[in-house]
Structure formats: structure tokens, C-alpha cells
Amino acid sequence: GDTRILVGSAAFAEAGDTVTGNGTTVFVRIGTHLSVFQLKPLFREAVPGVLTKLAGKFKLALLSGDNDRQKPVLQQLFGMDSDLLFGQKPEDKLRYVQQMQAAGGRVAMIGDGLNDAGALQQSNVGITVAGDINNFTPSCDAILDAGQLQHLPQVLRLARAARQVIHLSFAVSIVYNIIGLWFAMRGALTPVAAAILMPCSTLSIVIITTGVSSLLAWRYGLSLTSRQ
């Protein structure tokens, strides 16, 4: 009806910042009545291990829309050299990614909500963590099942290794064509032989890429099998 309902931060609910505590505060204003809930964030079980593995190879940063009451705990997880920014609006997250890129950085953004959509699109690689991959997710380059979050470091390793597999495939293809061209210029290939060898080159590339990628995935504890 005519009742005004506000749910969100203290500023949004016109409550002032008078509530303290260790948890995240959510304010609910219904008309003139104000209530506040304090929620203690629970990190996914895989988060500490994942951050430990990533910290040694990447510069980590946290862009959070929540308050900074959990900053001491998060600082230990991310490391003292990491940027921890709180109270971030969607445009703030987007701006931070742009600043990193302007400084020459290649940014991989990992988010799980619509407020991350702009930063996910702007980043060089956007990864959405979703509890249900069949539901709507922000536009991104990859969707990671939240239940498989512990495999994120291995997925990044596999992605980097895949680039080397692509280079290997190009090298094999070039060598194959140079050898074929040498035989063709000498007139040593009949049309039938050429017709047989041409698809064989494509088949060999498919076998190499699939085989090497599967081997690397197995080595990293992953599987390339698809799930419908």
C-alpha cells in the first residue's frame, strides 16, 4: 500500500551508523519503525585454501559491498599486501578494474552477484561463482560451480597450459604442411593420396589437443568430461 519499506545499509534505511558489532548489519525500516539484523559471514570452506594457493602467484584484491568489520580476518586470508576495499558500489568495482588495467595489469574478476556484472565484463577474464549454474548469472567468460571452488587454482593452471597446447598444435600443423608441400612440389603425391592425407592432418591436431589437454587436466586433478 502506502507503507514505505527500506532494506539495506544504515544510510539507505536512514538509520545512521549507530550499530556496532562483528557481523554484517542489515537495516529494515517499515514506515517509522526500524529494525536491524546482525549477520556473521561464513566463508565457503574452500576459500582459505584457494586464497593461499593464489596468493603466491597473483596479486589479490577484495572488492566488497559489505562493511569492514571482517577486515582483520580477511587480511590474514588475502595477505598484508592485498587491497581490501569495503562499501563498494557496482561502479566502484568497475572503476577499480579499469584503474588496474590502466596501470598495465591483466585482471581476472571473480564475482557471484549482479553488483559484480560491470566489473566482470570490464575485466580481462570474468568468472562467476554460481550455486546453481542453470539460474541467471551475470555476463562473464566462465561460470564456476560453487561446489567446485576448491579447484579454481588448478583451473587457472590448466588455462595457462592450454595456451602452450595451442602453440604446439600450430607448430605441428605448420610442419605437417611444409612436409606435404615439399612432396606436392616434387609431384610425389597423387590426388587420392593428397585427399587422404589432408583430413589426417586435422585428425592428428584434434588427437594431440584432446590428448594433451586431458593429460594435463588429469595431472592437475581435474577432468575434461562434460556434464549435461
Side-chain angles (χ1 to χ4, degrees):
D2 297 329
T3 303
R4 187 168 180 242
I5 300 176
L6 301 175
V7 181
S9 65
F12 180 76
E14 303 170 356
D17 193 10
T18 59
V19 178
T20 59
N22 294 325
T24 298
T25 54
V26 179
F27 292 83
V28 179
R29 177 179 289 279
I30 302 177
T32 59
H33 300 282
L34 178 68
S35 297
V36 59
F37 297 87
Q38 285 200 337
L39 309 176
K40 183 178 181 180
L42 295 177
F43 303 119
R44 297 184 187 273
E45 186 177 347
V47 167
V50 168
L51 291 177
T52 299
K53 293 178 180 178
L54 296 180
K57 299 179 180 179
F58 303 96
K59 173 179 171 56
L60 302 182
L62 173 68
L63 308 177
S64 174
D66 294 330
N67 57 51
D68 61 354
R69 292 190 176 94
Q70 293 291 315
K71 184 174 182 178
V73 177
L74 291 168
Q75 195 77 71
Q76 292 180 353
L77 293 175
F78 278 81
M80 301 306 296
D81 295 332
S82 299
D83 293 334
L84 302 183
L85 304 179
F86 299 91
Q88 297 290 290
K89 298 178 181 179
E91 56 268 27
D92 297 326
K93 298 181 179 183
L94 172 61
R95 191 178 304 111
Y96 182 87
V97 173
Q98 291 173 332
Q99 290 173 351
M100 293 288 290
Q101 292 173 329
R106 291 181 297 175
V107 181
M109 172 72 181
I110 302 172
D112 63 354
L114 287 176
N115 57 342
D116 302 320
L120 286 168
Q121 278 197 312
Q122 177 64 34
S123 60
N124 299 86
V125 178
I127 303 175
T128 296
V129 177
D132 185 353
I133 60 176
N134 294 317
N135 288 341
F136 175 79
T137 55
S139 176
C140 58
D141 299 299
I143 301 176
L144 179 63
D145 189 333
Q148 303 298 320
L149 182 61
Q150 69 274 15
H151 296 307
L152 178 61
Q154 294 95 310
V155 171
L156 295 178
R157 289 182 64 189
L158 181 60
R160 285 189 163 189
R163 182 171 55 185
Q164 304 302 322
V165 174
I166 293 174
H167 292 166
L168 174 63
S169 300
F170 273 115
V172 172
S173 178
I174 291 173
V175 170
Y176 191 97
N177 281 278
I178 290 176
I179 294 175
L181 184 62
W182 182 77
F183 278 103
M185 292 182 66
R186 294 178 65 246
L189 289 178
T190 64
V192 174
I196 294 175
L197 291 176
M198 190 62 191
C200 287
S201 66
T202 302
L203 181 61
S204 64
I205 295 300
V206 172
I207 292 175
I208 290 174
T209 54
T210 303
V212 175
S213 297
S214 298
L215 179 62
L216 289 172
W218 173 80
R219 182 179 178 183
Y220 298 151
L222 302 173
S223 173
L224 294 183
T225 57
S226 61
R227 183 177 65 181
Q228 299 295 332

